[in-house]
RNA sequence: UGGGGGAUCGUUCAACGGUAGGACAGCGGACUCUGACUCCGUCGAUCUAGGUUCGAAUCCUAGUCCCCCAGCCA
């Protein structure tokens, strides 16, 4: 086979082991370049319809189109696909222009509008009529639908299909002049009413819309349909590769048909899978609904997956571009984990964001042995790894605020922040030991008294003693009060886009407003839009500066290993754990929460019980040694004792084992799976398998 | 039950008849004046069944499942 990579399109040295794999679109382009189909030229376009704000899904397309053009030394146009004046607005056009620019792309003087081509499009339509390939149809919407047939039955030809060229020309001209009302007449392509592809059953090419267009005003009352306008706009602009999303795949025959029928320059349409993100919705209809119903505060609400929303939230263009790079491009339907986006944001911000200290939920600390009225100034670096970001000055005094959650009166073993008698470091300042706790009548902690070690100025102990915790802090006398918006995912479930009840799935805590945060004074100079890392908290950007109190939006939290530990302990300690090792059957009343797709991930295997023993200290658990066909026995602790008065009865039984479960360390030992059982107490039963399945056989 | 697409670690992208690899997530560890960053380690997948082949994620056959299409929206 010929070496594709040696064809000269790859830069020198890139065909070595580290070469980036080529996605399927570039593979097609490479093939075109090899065959000379477009003379080595690559010219793409990003063609949004200005009927909403751009979102992260559009960003994928923007990056794809502009990057491909750049990679191949070609060009990419920005084109507004404005063929439906009813839905489109100037506000959207402006936002699109701003957003694509903000993302870091430029189209020079190549901002186009499909409406730029209305005159020529009209001429093309006339030509189609002359060729006998289009006709004016008098069918109304309902009638046309009936004649179209169904997915399985062919359509019937319209009675108007055989009008003469002259009559069609005359009628079309009169449509243009406004002699007919909306819906009275359409221009249709004469293709094939029996085509299995519905798009080819004499599709409407022009429709009458007595509506003011945001650019052409009253000039037209007939407007071309997408399929007609799009392929010809591409053709007119000399686009080589018309990259669009998957749902247009079965429009490609029509794309090709129009261009062939008119015998004009013919770009190649290529379809890729649109981006979906977990915990959000991407359809413009749903986003519009959220805006209109005021579930969010406009298109640029920081919780929205729109470019404008992400900008306001503090996401950077570089992070978004990087994200689009990492998710790749293919034809699989995919839902990308929003954590990848957040990773990209952190990755970018970590490098650039100056560090600051901000206490979101303050707890007052009085340092008893610190001189009254004394103020020290510490010079702290803006970035731990990048000296070029410089320093700022932070004042310190007798009373400081620390984060409420950085103190625990009765700490667990793994908590290494402040607690009575414990010593921690105040970042960049001193070691601090908690000597007393102040409480209100309800027993809530309202403040601490602490002592500091003057020897540890700057944050290091001359005697070399270590502390486990370092806390951020703010001097009470110098603090700036601020409001903080804590944003979380908009929806509670990973895929809210499923049914029509997506509004029920909104996360009620997607925005938490904090109004008593205290910031270090250097933040007074922050400019709107500037992003900082509030140490140990996350990245925050200044939203607006009008009013007395500044407002910071949380862009994204820091990765928080402690939260996981803490939560894990909480789960173990507080919640009543179900009998381990048993998957409880769902109760009748409540619908099962497991989606079929999740269930399909369960690897259910036949397990042969080889050993059974009681577990000391538990009246529910049994220790089973089960053969799952792996050449060794798995130890499974199962809470099935109530179902098994006679242990010997279990020996040799074949049961259903969930084999791909993460093993679980229990106090009795490691449990390497789960066996299927249902019911509770004495009514519990174990799923037993009859017949001759072998241990390890998959159960489907 | 028409047509068009798609099925590879939990997620996503790769591997183009020759060792199934990367990233994110997870887990474990090292480091740390951010429980961050960084570093190291680790877990983990070819939809199913046949066939071709020395060799199959890749080719063939037959299934299964998922997505899209019946706008005068794009």
């Amino acid at each position: 086979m010929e070496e594709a990579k040696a064809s000269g399109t790859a830069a020198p040295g890139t065909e070595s082991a580290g070469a980036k794999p080529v996605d399927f679109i570039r593979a097609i382009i490479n093939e075109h370049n090899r065959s000379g189909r477009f003379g080595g030229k690559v010219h793409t376009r990003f063609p949004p319809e200005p009927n909403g704000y751009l979102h992260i899904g559009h960003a994928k397309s923007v990056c794809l189109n502009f990057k491909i053009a750049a990679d191949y030394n070609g060009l990419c146009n920005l084109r507004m696909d404005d063929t439906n004046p009813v839905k489109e607005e100037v506000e959207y056009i402006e936002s699109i222009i701003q957003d694509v620019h903000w993302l870091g792309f430029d189209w020079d003087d190549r901002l186009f509008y499909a409406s730029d081509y209305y005159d020529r499009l009209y001429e093309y339509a006339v030509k189609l009529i002359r060729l006998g390939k289009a006709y004016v149809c008098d069918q109304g919407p309902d009638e046309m639908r009936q004649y179209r047939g169904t997915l399985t039955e062919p359509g019937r030809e319209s009675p108007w299909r055989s009008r003469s060229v002259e009559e069609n020309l005359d009628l079309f001209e009169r449509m243009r002049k406004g002699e007919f009302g909306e819906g009275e007449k359409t221009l249709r392509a004469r293709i094939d009413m029996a085509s299995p592809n519905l798009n080819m059953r004499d599709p409407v090419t022009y429709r009458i819309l007595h509506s003011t267009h945001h650019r052409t005003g009253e000039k037209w009352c007939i407007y071309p349909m997408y399929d007609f306008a799009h392929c010809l706009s591409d053709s007119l602009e000399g686009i080589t590769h018309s990259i669009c999303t998957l749902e247009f795949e079965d429009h490609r025959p029509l794309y090709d048909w129009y261009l062939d029928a008119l015998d004009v320059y013919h770009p190649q349409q290529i379809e890729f899978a649109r981006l979906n993100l977990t915990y959000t919705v991407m359809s413009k209809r749903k986003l519009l609904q959220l805006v209109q119903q005021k579930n969010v505060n406009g298109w640029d609400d920081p919780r929205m997956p729109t470019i404008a929303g992400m900008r306001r939230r503090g996401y950077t263009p570089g992070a978004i571009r990087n994200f689009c790079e990492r998710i790749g491009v293919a034809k699989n339907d995919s839902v990308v984990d929003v954590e990848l986006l957040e990773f990209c944001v952190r990755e970018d911000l970590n490098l650039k964001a100056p560090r600051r200290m901000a206490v979101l939920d303050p707890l007052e600390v009085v340092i008893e042995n610190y001189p009254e009225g004394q103020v020290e100034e510490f010079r702290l670096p803006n970035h731990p790894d990048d000296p070029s970001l410089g320093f700022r000055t932070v004042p310190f005094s007798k009373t400081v605020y620390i984060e409420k959650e950085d103190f625990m009166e009765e700490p667990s073993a793994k908590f290494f922040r402040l607690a009575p008698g414990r010593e921690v470091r105040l970042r960049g300042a001193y070691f601090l030991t908690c000597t007393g706790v102040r409480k209100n009548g309800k027993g809530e902690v309202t403040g601490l008294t602490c002592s500091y070690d003057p020897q540890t100025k700057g944050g290091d102990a001359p005697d070399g003693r270590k502390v486990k915790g370092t806390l951020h802090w703010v001097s009470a006398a110098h603090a700036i009060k601020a409001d903080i918006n804590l944003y979380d995912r908009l929806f509670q479930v990973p895929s809210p886009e499923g049914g029509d009840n997506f509004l029920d799935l909104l996360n009620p805590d997607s925005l938490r407003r904090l109004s008593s945060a205290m910031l270090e004074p250097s933040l007074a100079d922050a400019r709107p839009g500037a992003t900082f890392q509030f140490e140990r908290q996350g990245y925050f950007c200044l939203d607006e500066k009008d009013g007395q109190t500044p407002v910071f939006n949380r862009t994204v939290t820091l990765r928080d290993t402690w939260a996981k530990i803490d939560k894990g302990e909480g789960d173990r300690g507080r919640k009543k754990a179900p009998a381990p090792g048993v998957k409880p059957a769902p109760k009748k009343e409540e619908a099962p929460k497991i989606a079929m797709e999740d269930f399909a991930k369960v690897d259910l295997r036949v397990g042969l019980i080889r050993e059974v023993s009681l577990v000391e200290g538990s009246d529910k658990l049994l220790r089973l040694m089960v053969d799952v066909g792996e050449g060794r026995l798995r130890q499974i602790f199962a809470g099935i004792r109530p179902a098994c008065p006679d242990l010997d009865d279990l020996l040799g039984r074949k049961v259903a084992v969930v084999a791909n479960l993460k093993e679980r360390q229990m106090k009795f030992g490691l449990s390497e799976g789960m066996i299927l059982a249902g019911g509770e107490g004495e009514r519990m039963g174990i799923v037993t398998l009859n017949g001759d399945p072998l241990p390890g056989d998959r159960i489907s």
Side-chain angles (χ1 to χ4, degrees):
Chain A
M1 201 194 117
E2 294 159 25
E3 276 302 309
K5 285 170 192 149
S7 70
T9 53
T14 52
E15 55 269 72
S16 63
K20 232 184 2 182
V22 193
D23 59 66
F24 80 100
I25 296 177
R26 282 166 225 262
I28 292 170
I29 294 175
N30 290 344
E31 180 53 38
H32 287 159
N33 286 345
R34 191 175 312 125
S35 68
R37 167 142 173 214
F38 295 107
K41 192 181 120 182
V42 173
H43 198 150
T44 58
R45 100 269 95 111
F46 173 64
E49 184 193 11
N51 67 343
Y53 277 61
L54 259 29
H55 54 60
I56 183 78
H58 293 109
K60 176 180 181 181
S61 178
V62 170
C63 292
L64 241 189
N65 279 293
F66 278 94
K67 277 225 68 183
I68 283 179
D71 290 353
Y72 286 91
N73 248 311
L75 298 170
C76 179
N77 299 351
L78 176 59
R79 180 170 73 230
M80 302 295 164
D81 216 344
D82 56 349
T83 55
N84 186 354
V86 184
K87 291 188 178 172
E88 295 149 9
E89 293 176 23
V90 177
E91 178 196 348
Y92 296 135
I93 294 177
E94 288 166 352
S95 74
I96 289 167
I97 290 172
Q98 182 190 6
D99 289 349
V100 179
H101 261 148
W102 180 77
L103 280 172
F105 299 104
D106 189 60
W107 48 88
D108 295 318
D109 56 350
R110 297 181 318 284
L111 167 60
F112 301 121
Y113 296 78
S115 52
D116 291 342
Y117 311 130
Y118 281 177
D119 285 304
R120 281 192 271 186
L121 259 16
Y122 182 81
E123 290 309 315
Y124 280 129
V126 169
K127 183 174 171 189
L128 225 41
I129 295 172
R130 289 221 165 87
L131 290 166
K133 293 180 176 179
Y135 62 96
V136 172
C137 181
D138 293 5
Q139 288 185 325
D142 294 338
E143 200 179 359
M144 197 180 290
R145 192 175 312 121
Q146 281 166 19
Y147 271 67
R148 186 152 33 228
T150 67
L151 293 178
T152 50
E153 303 156 24
R156 283 133 58 209
E157 296 187 349
S158 161
W160 314 103
R161 198 174 200 258
S162 49
R163 288 214 255 233
S164 69
V165 169
E166 288 67 32
E167 190 182 2
N168 282 322
L169 250 18
D170 175 59
L171 254 17
F172 188 48
E173 167 74 9
R174 288 164 58 194
M175 278 170 65
R176 202 207 85 220
K177 284 181 177 163
E179 291 187 22
F180 308 111
E182 289 188 8
E184 277 181 36
K185 286 185 166 40
T186 58
L187 182 72
R188 293 230 255 166
R190 182 187 276 110
I191 307 181
D192 177 9
M193 288 307 290
S195 171
N197 182 344
L198 290 275
N199 296 305
M200 301 298 271
R201 318 243 259 231
D202 288 12
V204 171
T205 303
Y206 264 90
R207 80 287 212 186
I208 298 169
L209 252 25
H210 290 286
S211 175
T212 306
H213 189 276
H214 52 92
R215 299 195 82 234
T216 60
E218 309 292 333
K219 180 174 178 189
W220 298 90
C221 64
I222 57 171
Y223 292 91
M225 296 288 289
Y226 163 84
D227 291 294
F228 186 70
H230 201 90
C231 61
L232 288 165
S233 301
D234 283 345
S235 177
L236 255 11
E237 291 176 18
I239 300 302
T240 55
H241 303 273
S242 180
I243 300 168
C244 62
T245 44
L246 245 31
E247 67 269 26
F248 292 103
E249 209 150 18
D250 48 17
H251 288 241
R252 180 156 25 99
L254 185 52
Y255 185 102
D256 294 336
W257 187 91
Y258 279 126
L259 296 176
D260 288 342
L262 291 163
D263 192 28
V264 293
Y265 167 74
H266 197 144
Q268 174 67 53
Q269 176 177 307
I270 303 171
E271 311 85 8
F272 70 97
R274 64 172 348 129
L275 169 68
N276 294 292
L277 253 197
T278 54
Y279 297 100
T280 192
V281 293
M282 214 67 97
S283 101
K284 275 195 201 171
R285 205 203 92 236
K286 293 198 175 80
L287 293 175
L288 214 210
Q289 201 177 338
L290 291 171
V291 172
Q292 287 179 337
Q293 293 182 202
K294 308 230 188 275
N295 295 300
V296 295
N297 304 314
W299 284 99
D300 66 343
D301 186 298
R303 293 167 290 183
M304 290 282 271
T306 52
I307 307 295
M310 296 191 298
R311 177 170 54 234
R312 229 181 116 199
R313 181 148 171 178
Y315 286 20
T316 56
I320 294 169
R321 275 187 259 120
N322 220 297
F323 171 73
C324 291
E325 188 86 24
R326 280 171 192 257
I327 56 176
V329 55
K331 299 190 74 158
N332 308 332
D333 290 321
S334 64
V335 185
V336 175
D337 199 328
V338 71
E339 290 198 58
L340 180 60
L341 212 209
E342 291 174 347
F343 169 83
C344 292
V345 171
R346 289 188 188 110
E347 184 186 44
D348 193 41
L349 258 20
N350 178 45
L351 261 28
K352 299 176 191 158
R355 311 291 130 123
R356 291 292 183 269
M357 291 195 287
V359 177
L360 305 189
D361 189 10
L363 178 64
E364 191 185 75
V365 172
V366 176
I367 304 164
E368 50 191 0
N369 58 339
Y370 194 83
E372 191 85 44
Q374 176 175 311
V375 175
E376 285 179 275
E377 293 201 323
F378 292 105
R379 190 162 169 266
L380 300 187
N382 285 327
H383 196 285
D385 310 314
D386 186 356
S388 75
L389 289 188
F391 294 80
R392 89 278 189 189
T393 300
V394 186
F396 184 83
S397 63
K398 186 177 176 73
T399 304
V400 298
Y401 294 116
I402 65 166
E403 209 68 62
K404 230 173 220 155
E405 63 174 26
D406 282 340
F407 174 79
M408 236 185 174
E409 201 170 8
E410 292 167 14
S412 67
K414 286 177 179 166
F415 184 84
F416 50 79
R417 279 116 96 145
L418 199 59
R422 287 242 196 121
E423 185 172 53
V424 296
R425 170 169 38 232
L426 292 182
R427 167 133 242 211
Y430 292 103
F431 282 12
L432 188 79
T433 304
C434 178
T435 55
V437 181
R438 292 199 307 276
K439 294 184 186 180
N440 62 14
K442 287 181 277 184
E444 295 161 347
V445 176
T446 56
L448 304 176
T449 50
C450 295
S451 65
Y452 84 117
D453 178 357
Q455 298 294 305
T456 57
K457 180 165 182 173
D460 280 309
D463 62 3
R465 83 179 184 277
K466 301 281 185 202
V467 286
K468 288 199 85 174
T470 298
L471 312 186
H472 59 278
W473 53 273
V474 171
S475 165
H478 306 85
I480 307 171
K481 284 193 83 158
D483 287 349
I484 307 264
N485 290 321
L486 257 24
Y487 293 107
D488 199 354
R489 14 208 79 157
L490 228 199
F491 290 90
Q492 313 181 61
V493 299
S495 304
E497 208 133 17
D500 46 7
N501 59 336
F502 79 105
L503 291 173
D504 298 343
L505 304 171
L506 278 165
N507 176 9
D509 296 321
S510 58
L511 169 58
R512 266 175 58 217
R513 178 92 172 185
L514 303 181
S515 51
S516 51
M518 295 291 181
L519 316 180
E520 65 165 80
S522 70
L523 249 3
D525 305 326
R527 295 166 174 279
T531 296
F532 302 90
Q533 185 196 100
F534 290 174
E535 294 210 30
R536 306 207 305 132
Q537 290 291 356
Y539 297 94
F540 292 76
C541 83
L542 183 56
D543 185 76
E544 53 201 42
K545 240 193 162 177
D546 48 353
Q548 290 297 95
T549 335
V551 176
F552 279 87
N553 293 326
R554 183 169 70 192
T555 307
V556 63
T557 60
L558 258 28
R559 220 170 135 262
D560 192 352
T561 317
W562 163 245
K564 279 176 206 156
I565 299 167
D566 191 35
K567 186 167 178 289
E569 291 193 335
D571 285 350
R572 275 192 291 280
R574 283 189 284 275
K575 284 187 198 156
K576 208 173 71 185
V582 174
K583 189 191 188 83
K587 289 191 183 126
K588 279 249 169 67
E589 297 79 42
E590 54 188 348
K593 293 260 171 64
I594 303 172
M596 280 320 286
E597 58 184 85
D598 293 334
F599 197 74
K601 289 171 191 159
V602 173
D603 185 16
L604 221 47
R605 302 267 176 179
V606 176
L608 176 63
I609 298 181
R610 289 286 184 75
E611 293 174 29
V612 185
S613 53
L614 294 174
V615 176
E616 205 167 328
S618 167
D619 54 357
K620 289 207 180 94
L621 288 181
L622 292 179
R623 174 177 170 275
L624 309 174
M625 295 303 288
V626 184
D627 180 357
V628 198
E630 297 167 312
R632 66 174 192 105
L633 299 183
R634 287 207 197 193
Q635 173 173 270
I636 297 177
F637 288 95
I640 54 172
R641 179 85 198 277
C644 310
D646 183 4
L647 298 193
D648 289 339
D649 189 39
L650 277 175
L651 281 176
R653 266 169 79 170
K654 286 171 182 165
V655 294
V657 176
V658 182
N660 60 341
L661 221 53
K662 224 183 101 52
E663 55 204 31
R664 180 164 169 185
Q665 185 63 51
M666 302 176 61
K667 121 176 124 174
F668 318 101
L670 200 63
S671 189
E672 309 168 282
M674 187 184 263
I675 77 166
L676 239 45
E680 281 176 23
E682 290 174 8
R683 308 238 313 268
M684 178 184 281
I686 301 166
V687 176
T688 304
L689 303 162
N690 301 316
D692 311 306
L694 293 174
D697 279 359
R698 175 169 270 163
I699 304 168
S700 52

